[in-house]
Amino acid sequence: SRACYNYCHGRGLVERAVTHVVLKAVSGGFLAQDPANTSILHVSWMFRMNGVSSVVPVADWVYRLTFDICNRVPKSPGTPSSLWRIIVYNIHRVISWFVSSASSEKAEADWENPEVVGRCKRAGHVPLYSFRDVPTALKFWSEGGGWSSRSKLPNVLLLNGKWDFHLAAAPQDAPVDFFHSNFDTSLWDEIDVPSNWECQGYDRPIYTNMFYPFPLDPPRALRRGVWSSSNNSTASSQGGDLSLIGGWKWDPEIKNPNELENPTGCYRRAFDLPEGWTENGRRVFISFGGVDSAFYCWVNGQRVGYSQDSRLPAEFDITEVLVPGKNFVAAQVMRWSDGSYLEDQDHWWLSGIHRDVILYLKEAVFISDYMVKTSLPEKRGGPARVDVDIRVQEAVTSEVALPTDVIVEALIFDADGTQIACVTSRPEDLLWSDPAEVYGQPFDKDQPQFNRKALLSLSVPAARLWSAEVPYLYTLVVRTMTPTATGNTSSRRFVPASDVEACRIGIRSVSISEKKLWVNGVPVIIQGVNRHDHCPKNGKAVSEESMLQDVLLMKKYNFNAVRTSHYPNHPRFYDLCDEYGLYVCDEANLETHGFHAGMHPTPFLANIPQWRQAYISRMARMIQRDRNHASIIMWSLGNEAGCGSGQRAMAEWARENDPTRPLHYESGGSRSSCTDIICPMYARVYTCEKMANEDPNDHRPVILCEYSHAMGNSNGSLDKYWRCFRENSAVQGGFIWDWVDQGLEATAPSGKTFWAYGGDFGDKPNDAQFCINGIVFPDRTPHPAMEELKFLMRPVTFQVTNLLKEEANCTRVKTDSELVNLETWISSNPRIVVRNWLNFTSLDHLKTTWLILADSGARLEEGVLDLSSIPQDAEVELPWKAFLPDLVFLAKKVSTLRTAAQTSPLHNWFLEFRTTVKETTRWCDAGHEVAHTQITLPVPVNGFPSPSMLSIPKSLSVHSDMVRVFTLGDDLLQVQCADGVHMAFHLSGPKIGTIVNMGSRGKLILEGGPSPCFWRAPTDNDRGGEAISYCARWRNAGINQLQTVQDSFPTVTQTAGPDGSLRIAVTLTMTPCGSNRKGVAGISVTLTHDIQTNGIVDLNMVATASKSLPPIPRVGLRMRCSSELQAVDWFGRGPHECYSDRKASATFGHHSSNAVDMHVPYIVPGENGGRADVSWLALRRREVIPEQPLTIKGNKLRASARTDRGTVAPAPGLLVSIPAGKVAQVSVQQHSLEDLESSSHEYQLEESRSRGDGTVHVHVDHLHMGVGGDDSWTPNVHPEYLIPTGSKWQLSLKLAALVHDDDAFEMHRHLQ
């Protein structure tokens, strides 16, 4: 049976069998709902939102049926009639093994017993600071409550720092009695605490998305044997496409001497106990903030406890084992435990003590916990009610046989430190209470103690509410006091010192009704992101500085919410969310994705009674720790763990113990009783709208728990989601997946540091780069997609009315031909529509400026728009004529200026609004831009007047009578034009009809091309989808290996007379490499070069692809420019990277950069750095030194018009000019398409470039496919951003050498 189990599990047969049944059960119904979604992967993924209530029972039925069949297989099957049962047995034996392991075998070790999640571990509670007195508490919180400041409190001892460390192969291999005080650790290493030992050079990190990194044998988790993969999938093209079902196999018979069965970290350190800490009945507790995955703790050789749950604190009372002076603490940490089965999140498997270790002192009668509940004022500005439930604990000892008389007091202080409320209890107000319940600690003996509680209510006058926009915080202080004793002096007892606790609180409410999530009675849109605790150097050991950096970036990019995916984050993070203003979805540390069917989790463990307490413990202890945070507006039961009795028990506990917050849980499907919010994962916009409207009796809102998978160059079509969020009130936003690329620092063979992903450490199994899906790099540098998100989530938007010929078309992207002419528009009395999307604040803290910008780059007119009176959540209309200039007059005026050639619009002009913060805030400096909007304005009916003074660029003023032509053998044609412009053409070979090189004044500017290009270096999204991915289909069609088949010899004709131009034309077919031309689908191309006597090259490409080819990635031209042409100027969208489906945030304008900075260093290289809708592109031999922007005041021109003007160099550059009415997608960078495709890491790109010729690689595309991003495992670029084959494409451009002080825009104007 073990051999059958090994065989079946190693080949993934169980998962495939269950998946087959599930998909057969659900695909028909789903396809009937939406015939357009024929991708089986999409069907598989979407059943979680569509019909999941019937799918989950099907999966459970398959598991149960299989177990039943397996139990009926004969012990010695050998007859032919038993063959079918043998096959079923071989396929499904693993499932029966699951059940028998979980139900019939009792594991002796705590870390292999799901019923034990702790021993002697204190019940969950809010963070306790043990302040010495009220002033200390107020000072601590007034200074921000920094985690580093906590260690300086007099009643706290921080045990972070260097610990002695030894890594054993397994728990049984740990040094005997290493936890004793006299054990010699002189030969041990030292390790930093907090840290993950894999990031300190011990063992190795392992990254998996959903597969467990150990053979499934619950509750045991051991890495015995060897892992291998039948699909050697990596990020590079040499390794294959990205795969989520990589075919990992496990062979337990092969022994791997380098693989540790269950790495076990042995930690030790000494500490000096402060004097007096154990006197007068005081209690001392040790708190481990986070240990992965299970551990025992000893103090002075005495075991004080055991704990699981790697993302929540474990606290033990160590009072009785302490001694004066030097003490020793030891911990034995197991990397794998039964708890690991509940922690199968999509992130790195890292181990060790990764959060702070502290000792703290409490008085004999102490506050063990307190809970805060706030109620809103009945009317705005009225008093608010704050209820505080305080728990008081006192140990029963030989000196304390009766409870001490005690009273408790609660005080509230405002943000200025002024006391505004105070309530003191009477001794009789303290009622007896049951001990706080612990879960999964069945063998603990209750420590004798007195437990009492008091409920105090306070009234806060003129209450100010907390929200993400206005995160106003009060400080709550609670303390114990002992009344003055009376009676006989001899009967008096010494009065214990006061125990003081404090935290910051916010007054706010959260509710669900009418298909909306309400905060303080106002519906809010969740502008959220999922966040892992991650540091590229230290793994899960994140610093306070890193957490603050995350919060500040989120605020600056207009996020208002964060989901702590998929576990409770470091407790300090919630303090920062309270302070700076972020709504939080706090998620329990629970995921069992490895028990999946069709990549989707089943509730297998959740339905096993022995695991029930572990489930409840993870939910209860999270709520007990975090419930006083105003920022937390919902609790999440975890992620991708199915929905069974375990989840229902968690939901029941949460609703009973905290009815003030809604519950969030995706894995149960949209209609699960375990969630108060419909929270689908990667649902398309149409699915969200359907879910929001299909059941009128369901009053839950739709909020996506994950959407727009940010893997590499991604996040396409985000604007569609945000149009839905802001137009459909029942779809209230969501959380982007995810915040940070989870790359870990590693060292390449060359010695260069790079960011590693799955497999880079030799970790098996692994899911390669699937952990690289953030919107910021590991060092928190934003991806370009962050600009798109910031734009779409901007707090104020602007529209101009009457612009379109048909207002009914206002929901789609406009073309210039759809705009009315200027004269008609002005006569319609247009209005500016301003929308304040803020829920709780007006616009009086923001400043909005406006600007009329010409496509020449000139700032024609500008001013300030006073919007301070616009209240929250309001829309107002402002008449254009009252606030902005007369555009008819302005268009005529600019054409008459002396500098009109530089300033007058050529084809377009734009209105820009930019909104900035007036004054410095906690999270940004004054002047920080929170919103911008650019609107294309109507043009005059006859176009813009031609400038009255139009000079001719110097490079166009020199002419010769004829273009001189020379042949250089049979293969090359040399062409000589005016002013030293020269070029050569290929007359044969694979590059026939294209330019060999082009130069001017003795300097090369082109070193190859332009030549046709229909391929791009695949992005992660291109690879996603297994055999039906875009990349797989492109490669199957040979689009990545097109070769030129010559249809005709180039024709060379020259015009007689004064024009003297030269035409070189060639027709060719590009077919897959290695194929015969006949009968093979290909792309037909005609290239025509018209060379003028002044050196201008007018290039025209006409291409037609066979209908049998799949949609292709690009239609364009590629060229190699001189390595000296590093400075880049262009007019088009920018300044950041943008593509056809991700360009809403990129404004039209004159932008400058360089070939280095235009490259976006995605961790897995691929297509990047594109700029959309470009009219002209210039490359020069100097860095741009822009002067001040041009501004027109009256009839005077002030400063320089464009960023392409600056220090002039005599060496020539190159201009690429696109014809009027057309635009192109362009990219300029130092890396070739081939290097981008073949490299799996950024450092390999740099190594390839150092071996190359150093040329600058330029792409000019007529069409370029979108990047997609609805997810990264199905081909999901929206149809309008695909490039279907079967039609004719035409790309025209002009190439011109830029010499002397030629102005690129003036040159472009003359070439139109």
Side-chain angles (χ1 to χ4, degrees):
S1 63
R2 173 63 71 176
C4 292
Y5 162 62
N6 297 342
Y7 179 88
C8 296
H9 172 71
R11 284 150 184 80
L13 298 181
V14 175
E15 294 87 343
R16 295 179 190 179
V18 175
T19 297
H20 176 76
V21 174
V22 169
L23 293 185
K24 290 290 286 185
V26 303
S27 60
F30 180 73
L31 291 176
Q33 295 175 25
D34 191 351
N37 289 279
T38 55
S39 162
I40 193 64
L41 287 179
H42 187 56
V43 171
S44 171
W45 196 255
M46 295 301 286
F47 80 67
R48 285 157 73 163
M49 284 79 74
N50 298 271
V52 73
S53 59
S54 61
V55 171
V56 171
V58 169
D60 285 342
W61 173 78
V62 171
Y63 277 94
R64 289 196 305 270
L65 178 64
T66 304
F67 174 55
D68 186 59
I69 293 175
C70 289
N71 282 341
R72 285 169 170 75
V73 175
K75 291 184 179 180
S76 300
T79 62
S81 60
S82 300
L83 180 60
W84 71 272
R85 284 182 287 180
I86 296 174
I87 295 173
V88 172
Y89 184 88
N90 286 337
I91 294 176
H92 295 294
R93 181 66 183 97
V94 60
I95 298 177
S96 64
W97 188 268
F98 292 162
V99 177
S100 64
S101 297
S103 60
S104 63
E105 298 183 19
K106 278 289 184 182
E108 295 183 1
D110 289 337
W111 64 88
E112 294 179 344
N113 186 344
E115 296 184 85
V116 177
V117 298
R119 290 184 183 272
C120 302
K121 184 164 64 171
R122 294 192 68 215
H125 57 76
V126 299
L128 299 175
Y129 295 85
S130 191
F131 298 108
R132 179 165 290 176
D133 50 39
V134 174
T136 302
L138 292 177
K139 182 175 185 294
F140 176 81
W141 286 114
S142 67
E143 294 175 352
W147 211 248
S148 58
S149 300
R150 185 183 186 187
S151 64
K152 299 174 184 177
L153 294 173
N155 289 343
V156 173
L157 180 63
L158 185 69
L159 296 186
N160 290 357
K162 297 292 185 180
W163 288 51
D164 296 330
F165 181 74
H166 170 78
L167 186 66
Q172 62 269 23
D173 297 324
V176 177
D177 296 336
F178 79 91
F179 43 80
H180 283 311
S181 302
N182 59 356
F183 187 85
D184 182 12
T185 59
S186 59
L187 298 180
W188 284 22
D189 297 332
E190 284 189 336
I191 196 170
D192 290 324
V193 170
S195 70
N196 294 117
W197 69 57
E198 294 86 354
C199 296
Q200 302 289 315
Y202 301 92
D203 201 11
R204 62 167 64 92
I206 300 173
Y207 167 67
T208 62
N209 170 29
M210 63 181 179
F211 294 107
Y212 289 103
F214 42 79
L216 296 183
D217 188 17
R220 286 165 292 276
L222 301 173
R223 283 175 62 84
R224 291 174 179 164
V226 174
W227 291 92
S228 61
S229 176
S230 58
N231 178 4
N232 296 318
S233 61
T234 68
S236 71
S237 61
Q238 298 171 342
D241 296 335
L242 177 65
S243 176
L244 295 180
I245 48 177
W248 287 102
K249 297 183 296 183
W250 168 65
D251 190 338
E253 305 304 323
I254 302 177
K255 303 299 181 183
N256 183 355
N258 298 319
E259 190 66 63
L260 304 182
E261 179 180 285
N262 186 0
T264 300
C266 303
Y267 294 78
R268 277 176 54 99
R269 71 156 291 168
F271 64 91
D272 292 320
L273 187 69
E275 187 175 351
W277 267 36
T278 56
E279 297 176 358
N280 300 323
R282 296 187 180 101
R283 311 301 297 179
V284 180
F285 303 97
I286 188 169
S287 175
F288 291 80
V291 181
D292 197 326
S293 71
F295 77 104
Y296 289 102
C297 178
W298 293 266
V299 174
N300 295 327
Q302 301 294 312
R303 193 172 78 179
V304 296
Y306 167 79
S307 177
Q308 292 175 199
D309 193 336
S310 60
R311 302 292 180 257
L312 285 174
E315 290 190 7
F316 311 106
D317 187 339
I318 61 174
T319 308
E320 308 303 331
V321 298
L322 291 172
V323 297
K326 179 169 286 190
N327 290 259
F328 291 88
V329 59
Q332 176 178 309
V333 181
M334 282 69 70
R335 181 170 193 179
W336 311 117
S337 69
D338 59 85
S340 301
Y341 282 99
L342 304 182
E343 299 180 2
D344 188 29
Q345 292 96 345
D346 175 10
H347 68 153
W348 291 97
W349 295 85
L350 299 170
S351 320
I353 305 173
H354 61 91
R355 289 182 185 164
D356 306 277
V357 182
I358 63 170
L359 265 63
Y360 67 93
L361 172 69
K362 298 293 278 184
E363 297 298 330
V365 181
F366 64 93
I367 297 169
S368 61
D369 198 7
Y370 60 100
M371 293 140 275
V372 178
K373 178 183 177 182
T374 64
S375 301
L376 295 188
E378 294 184 1
K379 60 180 181 179
R380 185 180 180 88
R385 177 174 168 175
V386 177
D387 295 324
V388 187
D389 185 352
I390 304 173
R391 305 301 171 101
V392 176
Q393 196 173 100
E394 182 179 13
V396 178
T397 66
S398 57
E399 291 83 17
V400 182
L402 294 174
T404 305
D405 287 340
V406 66
I407 61 175
V408 293
E409 185 175 63
L411 308 94
I412 295 180
F413 299 81
D414 65 15
D416 297 324
T418 302
Q419 180 179 318
I420 58 172
C422 176
V423 172
T424 305
S425 73
R426 299 169 299 175
E428 58 268 27
D429 292 335
L430 270 73
L431 306 177
W432 292 107
S433 68
D434 294 330
E437 189 168 359
V438 294
Y439 301 90
Q441 299 182 207
F443 309 114
D444 280 1
K445 293 182 179 180
D446 292 337
Q447 180 181 0
Q449 56 193 8
F450 299 116
N451 294 283
R452 289 170 285 177
K453 64 180 179 179
L455 179 62
L456 304 181
S457 295
L458 302 91
S459 179
V460 177
R464 299 183 60 179
L465 306 186
W466 185 96
S467 68
E469 295 169 19
V470 187
Y472 190 88
L473 293 172
Y474 296 92
T475 301
L476 169 70
V477 179
V478 294
R479 62 178 174 178
T480 62
M481 295 187 297
T482 301
T484 303
T486 60
N488 192 318
T489 304
S490 62
S491 67
R492 294 180 180 177
R493 292 181 289 111
F494 287 102
V495 179
S498 175
D499 187 51
V500 179
E501 292 295 339
C503 70
R504 293 182 296 190
I505 64 171
I507 298 172
R508 61 107 185 92
S509 69
V510 184
S511 61
I512 299 286
S513 65
E514 302 175 13
K515 294 184 179 289
K516 294 182 180 65
L517 169 70
W518 305 78
V519 176
N520 298 338
V522 177
V524 298
I525 296 176
I526 296 298
Q527 302 178 177
V529 64
N530 286 271
R531 176 190 178 272
H532 275 288
D533 275 342
H534 181 77
C535 171
K537 185 177 181 63
N538 299 314
K540 296 298 174 183
V542 294
S543 66
E544 184 171 7
E545 292 75 18
S546 174
M547 289 183 274
L548 178 58
Q549 184 181 17
D550 284 350
V551 169
L552 293 178
L553 271 175
M554 290 176 190
K555 293 291 290 186
K556 289 177 180 177
Y557 280 85
N558 292 334
F559 289 97
N560 70 0
V562 60
R563 177 182 177 219
T564 64
S565 53
H566 297 295
Y567 43 79
N569 283 187
H570 191 290
R572 178 59 180 157
F573 182 72
Y574 302 88
D575 291 335
L576 297 172
C577 292
D578 289 342
E579 179 178 348
Y580 290 92
L582 286 171
Y583 301 121
V584 176
C585 173
D586 200 10
E587 189 150 275
N589 183 22
L590 180 63
E591 180 167 339
T592 61
H593 203 169
F595 295 96
H596 70 98
M599 297 194 299
H600 303 288
T602 65
F604 178 69
L605 294 180
N607 290 326
I608 299 177
Q610 289 87 341
W611 293 80
R612 190 70 39 75
Q613 294 291 302
Y615 276 66
I616 298 175
S617 172
R618 289 168 182 260
M619 189 71 182
R621 296 180 73 88
M622 175 185 71
I623 294 176
Q624 290 164 341
R625 187 194 74 167
D626 297 338
R627 57 188 158 197
N628 287 348
H629 288 285
S631 57
I632 298 174
I633 62 170
M634 63 182 83
W635 303 115
S636 173
L637 277 61
N639 185 68
E640 294 183 313
C643 191
S645 55
Q647 281 80 14
R648 288 188 286 273
M650 295 168 73
E652 180 182 358
W653 191 98
R655 287 174 173 140
E656 180 180 347
N657 288 271
D658 183 17
T660 68
R661 295 178 175 94
L663 297 185
H664 164 289
Y665 189 56
E666 177 271 340
S667 198
S670 63
R671 301 297 173 226
S672 164
S673 62
C674 289
T675 183
D676 300 315
I677 297 167
I678 301 172
C679 45
M681 181 181 290
Y682 304 105
R684 307 306 195 248
V685 171
Y686 59 81
T687 303
C688 293
E689 293 173 338
K690 175 178 169 51
M691 296 171 74
N693 300 319
E694 65 183 350
D695 185 355
N697 296 318
D698 192 335
H699 299 293
R700 295 176 293 181
V702 174
I703 298 174
L704 288 130
C705 70
E706 296 174 20
Y707 78 105
S708 192
H709 199 259
M711 193 170 179
N713 190 357
S714 185
N715 302 106
S717 298
L718 264 173
D719 56 320
K720 293 185 179 181
Y721 278 106
W722 277 92
R723 189 178 303 126
C724 171
F725 297 161
R726 289 188 164 179
E727 292 178 358
N728 188 330
S729 61
V731 184
Q732 284 186 273
F735 300 89
I736 288 285
W737 186 266
D738 68 332
W739 176 244
V740 61
D741 285 334
Q742 295 178 63
L744 289 175
E745 283 189 7
T747 303
S750 63
K752 186 174 180 60
T753 299
F754 70 100
W755 287 321
Y757 47 77
D760 284 335
F761 297 100
D763 47 312
K764 297 178 181 181
N766 68 76
D767 282 302
Q769 76 270 33
F770 213 72
C771 58
I772 307 299
N773 42 29
I775 50 176
V776 299
F777 289 98
D779 64 358
R780 272 50 178 188
T781 300
H783 283 201
M786 278 277 275
E787 298 295 337
E788 193 83 350
L789 281 160
K790 178 182 178 180
F791 173 81
L792 295 171
M793 300 187 298
R794 62 200 188 279
V796 56
T797 57
F798 299 85
Q799 290 181 311
V800 175
T801 63
N802 306 333
L803 284 176
L804 301 180
K805 294 177 181 177
E806 297 182 13
E807 286 292 339
N809 291 330
C810 61
T811 59
R812 61 184 180 81
V813 178
K814 312 304 176 300
T815 63
D816 292 345
S817 62
E818 294 177 294
L819 297 176
V820 299
N821 62 66
L822 178 60
E823 293 79 4
T824 300
W825 175 72
I826 283 292
S827 65
S828 69
N829 294 318
R831 298 172 305 283
I832 309 159
V833 182
V834 185
R835 178 69 159 89
N836 178 6
W837 291 98
L838 296 172
N839 299 117
F840 303 101
T841 54
S842 69
L843 299 181
D844 61 353
H845 65 294
L846 301 175
K847 175 185 177 181
T848 297
T849 59
W850 59 266
L851 166 69
I852 307 295
L853 179 72
D855 61 3
S856 63
R859 302 167 68 93
L860 303 181
E861 198 146 346
E862 55 192 300
V864 176
L865 198 61
D866 184 7
L867 305 176
S868 59
S869 62
I870 299 179
Q872 65 269 23
D873 196 24
E875 181 176 284
V876 300
E877 294 188 359
L878 308 175
W880 177 283
K881 294 180 179 179
F883 292 88
L884 292 175
D886 182 344
L887 295 187
V888 175
F889 173 78
L890 185 61
K892 294 177 180 177
K893 182 178 76 170
V894 296
S895 66
T896 62
L897 295 176
R898 178 177 56 83
T899 55
Q902 299 176 6
T903 62
S904 178
L906 178 58
H907 300 297
N908 289 298
W909 55 355
F910 310 92
L911 169 63
E912 286 187 4
F913 295 101
R914 295 192 178 270
T915 303
T916 59
V917 176
K918 288 180 181 177
E919 299 177 356
T920 297
T921 70
R922 284 194 187 100
W923 53 271
C924 72
D925 294 330
H928 169 73
E929 183 177 288
V930 298
H932 74 268
T933 299
Q934 187 181 73
I935 299 168
T936 302
L937 294 172
V939 301
V941 64
N942 295 320
F944 290 102
S946 299
S948 56
M949 301 176 64
L950 188 59
S951 59
I952 299 176
K954 293 181 179 179
S955 58
L956 299 183
S957 62
V958 181
H959 292 272
S960 61
D961 293 336
M962 296 285 289
V963 175
R964 302 172 65 189
V965 180
F966 309 91
T967 56
L968 302 176
D970 297 330
D971 299 327
L972 295 178
L973 183 73
Q974 182 74 36
V975 179
Q976 185 71 45
C977 304
D979 202 23
V981 177
H982 58 87
M983 62 201 75
F985 287 83
H986 292 282
L987 294 181
S988 63
K991 299 179 181 180
I992 184 171
T994 64
I995 295 176
V996 179
N997 56 49
M998 176 179 176
S1000 176
R1001 303 169 67 90
K1003 292 280 190 178
L1004 285 180
I1005 53 178
L1006 263 181
E1007 297 190 23
S1011 58
C1013 184
F1014 303 96
W1015 175 247
R1016 75 179 182 190
T1019 65
D1020 289 317
N1021 288 348
D1022 292 341
R1023 298 184 182 98
E1026 311 295 329
I1028 61 171
S1029 70
Y1030 293 119
C1031 187
R1033 286 184 282 165
W1034 293 337
R1035 286 178 173 148
N1036 289 339
I1039 296 174
N1040 62 320
Q1041 294 180 323
L1042 293 176
Q1043 65 177 357
T1044 299
V1045 179
Q1046 184 176 330
D1047 286 353
S1048 64
F1049 289 101
T1051 60
V1052 181
T1053 59
Q1054 190 163 17
T1055 304
D1059 180 50
S1061 62
L1062 178 73
R1063 168 168 289 189
I1064 300 175
V1066 64
T1067 299
L1068 47 90
T1069 299
M1070 303 183 73
T1071 60
C1073 182
S1075 301
N1076 293 324
R1077 176 189 170 194
K1078 186 175 181 180
V1080 176
I1083 302 175
S1084 174
V1085 179
T1086 298
L1087 281 177
T1088 304
H1089 294 78
D1090 289 313
I1091 302 101
Q1092 307 299 323
T1093 58
N1094 56 9
I1096 302 300
V1097 179
D1098 192 342
L1099 191 158
N1100 185 68
M1101 180 183 80
V1102 177
T1104 304
S1106 169
K1107 287 184 178 181
S1108 63
L1109 292 175
I1112 61 177
R1114 72 172 2 130
V1115 176
L1117 296 163
R1118 63 184 299 194
M1119 61 191 91
R1120 293 185 301 113
C1121 295
S1122 166
S1123 60
E1124 298 180 9
L1125 300 186
Q1126 294 287 323
V1128 185
D1129 306 309
W1130 74 96
F1131 180 87
R1133 292 188 182 270
H1136 52 270
E1137 174 195 82
C1138 51
Y1139 287 83
S1140 58
D1141 58 352
R1142 200 191 71 220
K1143 63 182 182 180
S1145 60
T1147 56
F1148 285 100
H1150 284 240
H1151 304 290
S1152 295
S1153 186
N1154 58 70
V1156 174
D1157 291 343
M1158 290 191 77
H1159 170 72
V1160 181
Y1162 293 114
I1163 293 177
V1164 178
E1167 166 61 35
N1168 73 87
R1171 301 303 193 272
D1173 300 336
V1174 172
S1175 299
W1176 59 262
L1177 171 73
L1179 289 89
R1180 296 182 183 273
R1181 278 177 165 79
R1182 53 147 173 80
E1183 288 296 334
V1184 177
I1185 307 175
E1187 301 175 20
Q1188 295 298 315
L1190 176 95
T1191 304
I1192 297 177
K1193 295 293 184 182
N1195 291 321
K1196 294 184 178 180
L1197 179 70
R1198 191 170 64 195
S1200 173
R1202 285 172 303 284
T1203 53
D1204 67 300
R1205 298 182 63 84
T1207 302
V1208 178
L1214 176 69
L1215 173 70
V1216 180
S1217 176
I1218 309 300
K1222 304 291 183 180
V1223 290
Q1225 176 87 13
V1226 305
S1227 67
V1228 179
Q1229 58 177 283
Q1230 295 182 315
H1231 307 293
S1232 70
L1233 184 156
E1234 290 76 15
D1235 287 343
L1236 288 167
E1237 180 183 4
S1238 62
S1239 298
S1240 58
H1241 294 86
E1242 185 72 14
Y1243 76 85
Q1244 295 170 332
L1245 271 182
E1246 298 174 15
E1247 292 174 353
S1248 296
R1249 176 165 175 77
S1250 67
R1251 297 190 296 267
D1253 58 12
T1255 54
V1256 175
H1257 299 270
V1258 179
H1259 285 267
V1260 181
D1261 298 328
H1262 167 59
L1263 296 170
H1264 194 110
M1265 191 180 95
V1267 294
D1270 288 349
D1271 61 47
S1272 296
W1273 45 90
T1274 66
N1276 58 69
V1277 174
H1278 291 206
E1280 62 268 38
Y1281 304 119
L1282 292 173
I1283 309 175
T1285 54
S1287 58
K1288 181 181 291 187
W1289 305 302
Q1290 182 170 351
L1291 170 61
S1292 298
L1293 56 83
K1294 288 182 170 65
L1295 301 176
L1298 293 171
V1299 298
H1300 304 294
D1301 57 348
D1302 283 340
D1303 181 281
F1305 171 72
E1306 290 184 66
M1307 176 81 79
H1308 171 70
R1309 181 192 290 274
H1310 280 273
L1311 294 178
Q1312 293 298 291

